[in-house]
Structure formats: structure tokens, C-alpha cells
Amino acid sequence: MKKDMKKKIIVGNWKMNPIALKEAMKIFSSVRRTASKLSSTHVVICPPLLYVQKFASSRAVSPISIGAQNVFFEEQGHFTGEISSSMLKNIGVNHVIVGHSERREMGETDEIISKKVQAVLEMGIHPILCVGEKERDVHGLYLDVLKSQIKNSLAKTTKKLIGQVIMAYEPVWAIGAKEPMDPAIIQEMAIFVRKVISDMFGHENAMKTLVLYGGATNFRNASDIINLGKVDGLLVGRESVNVPGFVELLKAVDAV
Ligand code: PGA
């Protein structure tokens, strides 16, 4: 890998899988073994919170970063069931998925998401901010939807901290689907995401912002999406808990 080349980022969102810690440990050690052999790809694993603590405190955690799938925006206090970004930081977490469409579906608004992004940034953790339209229409209204999601979710973010944000463009209709978005369109959408960020935070900051793609990625389509879609990495759901598939995906992406 050339010295000035950015590493590609592959984020594994395990969602609410697997059910047993033993299985989680098995997946984690296989992924870690493969990740240690990659030269141009950084792997971030976001397991359920119970396992996050186990993995984040394990000494042999490198070369994988451990992320959480959610966080609360307050630091501490009477918020039953919630976890704060300081708590995550204290156990060694450095990435958090914020605003995944499955959480938006449960009622998370752009305003809540913007508070979460800010809380995470203040702790020096990278938010992986998910945005994406639910459907595409012939009039291009989905672009307005996306623009307002980005603007509102980053409403509290400053120029100084925008560089820490990782954007994950995930068209909701592609999540859990059979096929991902066409890589040529992914490229256009990544340009659009950067354009909105450029309007908010300036061209230089936008060029530095990492933009990932998520939705129906697997070992067969990963290298095309990176190559032709010109994104900085992938947010992988299902395939991230399927060890053989994920291992192949990591190798394919590293070879791009
Ligand atoms: P998928 O999910 O890869 O299973 O389509 C992606 C996501 O939800 O981030």
C-alpha cells in the first residue's frame, strides 16, 4: 500500500446476532485472524453491547476496532437502560453506529441523532452516521430526503469535528435485500453526500470525510462496489456474521 493511501474501512454490523457469547467469540477470532493479514483495509466490528465489552477489553483486540451499534446522548444519570459515550470510551470503544435505519424505524429522529453524533464526537469516538432514502421516485425527491437527513443529523456538528464523522450511505430498500445498489449509482450518491457536507463544512472537509456504502453487500459484490462505486468502505450487515463470506469479503476488498 502506498504511504499516502487511505485505508478502506469495513464495518461489520452484527445487529442482534449471535445469541450466544461462545458463538460470538468464534466469529470474532476468525475475523481477527483475517484482519491481521490485511494491508490496506481496517476492520471495525460492531457486535451487540454485551459482547462489545468482552471484545474491547480483550488484550489481543488489535488489529480490529470495536464499535457499538447505538449510544445515548446524555453522559450519565437517570436514563434507565441507556449507555453513554463516556462509558463506551472507558471500555475502549472508538466507533459507534448512529442513526441506523432500523433505529430510525423505532422512532429515532434526526434531532436525537444529531445529539448522539455530538456526544460521541466530544468523547473522541467516530460516529458512523447512517443516512439513506426509503424509496426512489422519478422526481428526485429522494435527494431532498437525503439532504435534509444529512443536514439535520449534523446540525450540532462543528467544522473542527466533522473530520471524525464517517458517513454511511445506506438506501433503506437495499438493506436486507438480495442485490445492492448499482455501483455507478453508488458513486453518484457518494458524490451527493460529499456535496451536502461541502455546502455545510467546506470543500476541504468534505474531501476528507469518509463515505461508506451499506445494503446487501457480500463477498461477490464488495470489490466492484469499492472500485466502481468509489466509496471508502462498506457497512456490512448479514455477511458480517457469516464467517466464510466475511473472510472472503475482507480479502476481496483488501485486494482492490
Ligand atoms: P445488510 O445490512 O448488509 O444485511 O443488507 C446492512 C445494514 O443494515 O447496515
Side-chain angles (χ1 to χ4, degrees):
M1 191 174 105
K2 284 194 209 120
K3 221 176 161 197
D4 54 347
M5 233 167 95
K6 272 192 295 194
K7 277 203 173 194
K8 290 154 278 186
I9 299 194
I10 300 297
V11 182
N13 175 11
W14 287 12
K15 307 193 177 182
M16 205 167 70
N17 301 293
I19 286 173
L21 175 61
K22 209 168 156 198
E23 176 65 10
M25 304 273 280
K26 254 169 74 182
I27 302 172
F28 184 67
S29 43
S30 303
V31 174
R32 189 173 58 201
R33 219 173 305 126
T34 305
S36 66
K37 296 180 200 133
L38 304 176
S39 58
S40 64
T41 311
H42 185 66
V43 184
V44 181
I45 292 297
C46 302
L49 209 49
L50 279 175
Y51 313 146
V52 164
Q53 184 167 20
K54 188 91 187 158
F55 300 159
S57 60
S58 121
R59 275 191 191 185
V61 80
S62 75
I64 297 182
S65 293
I66 303 297
Q69 298 172 15
N70 186 27
V71 66
F72 193 54
F73 50 79
E74 296 287 356
E75 195 172 0
Q76 69 180 127
H78 44 278
F79 305 104
T80 304
E82 299 292 352
I83 301 284
S84 74
S85 43
S86 336
M87 290 172 180
L88 291 176
K89 185 75 187 173
N90 285 338
I91 60 163
V93 166
N94 34 31
H95 293 77
V96 180
I97 298 174
V98 181
H100 190 279
S101 66
E102 286 157 13
R103 297 214 56 87
R104 290 180 187 260
E105 201 54 39
M106 289 177 214
E108 210 164 272
T109 61
D110 283 340
E111 203 197 338
I112 297 173
I113 291 165
S114 71
K115 288 187 193 169
K116 291 186 173 188
V117 168
Q118 199 47 25
V120 165
L121 286 172
E122 278 166 11
M123 272 305 126
I125 298 175
H126 296 283
I128 300 166
L129 173 60
C130 300
V131 291
E133 75 280 3
K134 278 193 182 159
E135 55 189 12
R136 305 212 124 201
D137 58 289
V138 288
H139 307 293
L141 290 178
Y142 61 91
L143 292 173
D144 294 337
V145 169
L146 191 59
K147 187 174 174 179
S148 88
Q149 262 184 10
I150 299 170
K151 285 199 149 173
N152 296 335
S153 305
L154 290 173
K156 296 192 184 341
T157 307
T158 57
K159 260 192 179 173
K160 204 173 141 214
L161 293 175
I162 185 66
Q164 302 302 310
V165 177
I166 299 173
M167 297 300 296
Y169 169 63
E170 297 204 298
V172 179
W173 49 268
I175 296 176
K178 258 191 167 157
E179 298 293 333
M181 181 180 246
D182 183 318
I185 306 179
I186 293 176
Q187 184 188 3
E188 285 172 14
M189 296 310 291
I191 291 171
F192 183 77
V193 170
R194 277 217 176 81
K195 166 84 176 75
V196 179
I197 294 187
S198 168
D199 291 346
M200 293 178 78
F201 302 98
H203 178 72
E204 215 174 295
N205 284 320
M207 289 305 113
K208 280 190 271 181
T209 306
L210 300 178
V211 181
L212 315 183
Y213 165 80
T217 54
N218 58 39
F219 74 92
R220 287 187 196 88
N221 57 36
S223 49
D224 268 1
I225 294 175
I226 303 261
N227 245 333
L228 310 172
K230 308 241 181 305
V231 281
D232 300 297
L234 306 172
L235 175 51
V236 185
R238 283 158 293 170
E239 193 83 317
S240 69
V241 280
N242 165 27
V243 170
F246 195 57
V247 163
E248 285 311 307
L249 181 150
L250 293 178
K251 288 183 188 162
V253 168
D254 204 48
V256 171

